[in-house]
Amino acid sequence: MKNNKSRQQRALIKGIMLIVKIALAAGVSWEVAKLLGSKHPYLAPLTVILSMQETVWHSAAYAFYRMIGTVFGVVVTVFIVSHLEVNGWTIGCLLLGGMLLPVILRVHKTIIHQVALTILLVFVFAHQTASYPSDRVRDTIVGAFTAIFIHMLLFPPSYVKEAGQTLNQFGFHLIQLFKRSADWVHGHCDPLEGQALKKDVANLLQELHQVQKDLQMAEKSLKLNIFSKNKQQSLKQYKHILSLLTTGYLYISSILPPFHDWTKMGTMSADEREQWTMQLKMLGEYIGNQLHQAMEKQNHSGASGRMPDLLDLSALSLQISVPSELKWYRYPLSLYQQTAQLIQELKMTRQ
């Protein structure tokens, strides 16, 4: 709850900062366009408003696409504008022809939209003022560079902290899943509790996908970010932690069905149940300790220290063992179990 409130507050601050930067960049671009002799200075702030996105990288990409689309649209239109009159049929034919080439060249869809918009406006306004095509190209460039410049220098947004919070929440829920799984095994794998664990595994998969998306967003937010040196190291550590948590998730999600089947057969002894309970608790505690240690170092050192060694296997030990008579069959048995599980899941998808 506290993390969600903090995240909402940061989102609000980022939103306010984006509005302030759009307003500032729009005003600056208008004045620059006027100084350069534009008779249509509103085109510069229009580009600012459209180009300013949640990250500098997204803003630069959109601004680039807008400039390319604008130049292409002006070039297509300016040579034939004096030979055609303005009506719905000529506009439709121009848009069709002007957008076909970008589609054939497989350019980004944003460029196609900008080509269409430029063809329409240039064709209409060029009949009224001859300076509109040149003003559109120049002012679009002015607005694009103004937006990027201000976005880069004035508190460029970073989403690394948000990604870290999502990662920490995923790790906490994974640890809880290990603990509940250990209790489930100790309690003879109750079917109702098993169904609840299955739902938790599915929910945790959604959290894992969200963490991956947040880390991708954080990575993009650091591109073209001139103040991102320390945050790059933080992001690197978060990715390292996520790879280990993902390994833990894949493990815990794969062992629940075998435990259910084993208990159903009635061949699990009391000693084996205790050993597996201890093993799962130890794994959960280990992951929890390492996650806590990594986050503490991250918060106190500001990512300037050495990356924590999350693979310190000296803190782990194997609590279970394979009977000597089955030693040579553990690999084919493991393959058999995984294959049988896959076939069962494939059959269930057809029902």
Side-chain angles (χ1 to χ4, degrees), residues 200-218:
D200 290 341
V201 168
N203 292 334
L204 204 58
L205 179 60
Q206 297 301 317
E207 287 192 33
L208 174 58
H209 290 162
Q210 186 61 50
V211 174
Q212 293 170 338
K213 290 180 181 178
D214 287 354
L215 286 176
Q216 290 176 357
M217 183 64 176

Side-chain angles (χ1 to χ4, degrees), residues 72-268:
F72 185 85
V74 169
V75 170
V76 169
T77 310
V78 73
F79 293 108
I80 60 176
V81 65
S82 60
H83 303 289
L84 299 173
E85 62 178 79
V86 179
N87 60 55
W89 299 114
T90 54
I91 290 174
C93 291
L94 277 174
L95 290 176
L96 177 62
M99 290 189 294
L100 273 179
L101 183 57
V103 170
I104 294 173
L105 296 176
R106 297 182 180 181
V107 300
H108 196 275
K109 62 181 181 180
T110 303
I111 295 180
I112 299 174
H113 293 159
Q114 294 305 318
V115 168
L117 183 62
T118 300
I119 289 175
L120 174 62
L121 295 179
V122 170
F123 183 66
V124 172
F125 287 108
H127 283 86
Q128 303 174 13
T129 171
S131 65
Y132 184 83
S134 59
D135 283 352
R136 184 166 184 85
V137 172
R138 181 180 59 248
D139 295 349
T140 296
I141 295 174
V142 168
F145 278 96
T146 303
I148 297 171
F149 184 75
I150 289 180
H151 212 9
M152 287 180 63
L153 293 184
L154 298 181
F155 306 101
S158 168
Y159 290 86
V160 175
K161 184 171 290 187
E162 287 83 349
Q165 285 189 341
T166 308
L167 176 65
N168 192 35
Q169 178 176 285
F170 170 69
F172 174 77
H173 290 161
L174 178 62
I175 296 165
Q176 294 300 311
L177 182 60
F178 267 92
K179 293 179 180 179
R180 290 186 58 195
S181 299
D183 294 337
W184 176 64
V185 172
H186 188 263
H188 299 269
C189 300
D190 178 69
L192 292 179
E193 181 63 21
Q195 289 298 321
L197 288 175
K198 188 176 180 180
K199 291 181 180 179
D200 290 341
V201 168
N203 292 334
L204 204 58
L205 179 60
Q206 297 301 317
E207 287 192 33
L208 174 58
H209 290 162
Q210 186 61 50
V211 174
Q212 293 170 338
K213 290 180 181 178
D214 287 354
L215 286 176
Q216 290 176 357
M217 183 64 176
E219 186 174 15
K220 289 182 179 180
S221 73
L222 297 185
K223 292 181 179 179
L224 301 180
N225 191 327
I226 59 178
F227 307 108
S228 65
K229 183 177 180 180
N230 290 337
K231 294 176 182 177
Q232 290 282 4
Q233 184 64 20
S234 297
L235 183 62
K236 185 178 180 181
Q237 293 186 12
Y238 288 154
K239 288 181 177 180
H240 182 67
I241 296 170
L242 178 61
S243 67
L244 297 175
L245 294 179
T246 302
T247 301
Y249 170 79
L250 294 175
Y251 169 79
I252 196 66
S253 62
S254 66
I255 66 170
L256 296 182
F259 273 123
H260 174 268
D261 296 339
W262 192 4
T263 302
K264 192 174 181 180
M265 290 180 62
T267 58
M268 184 187 297

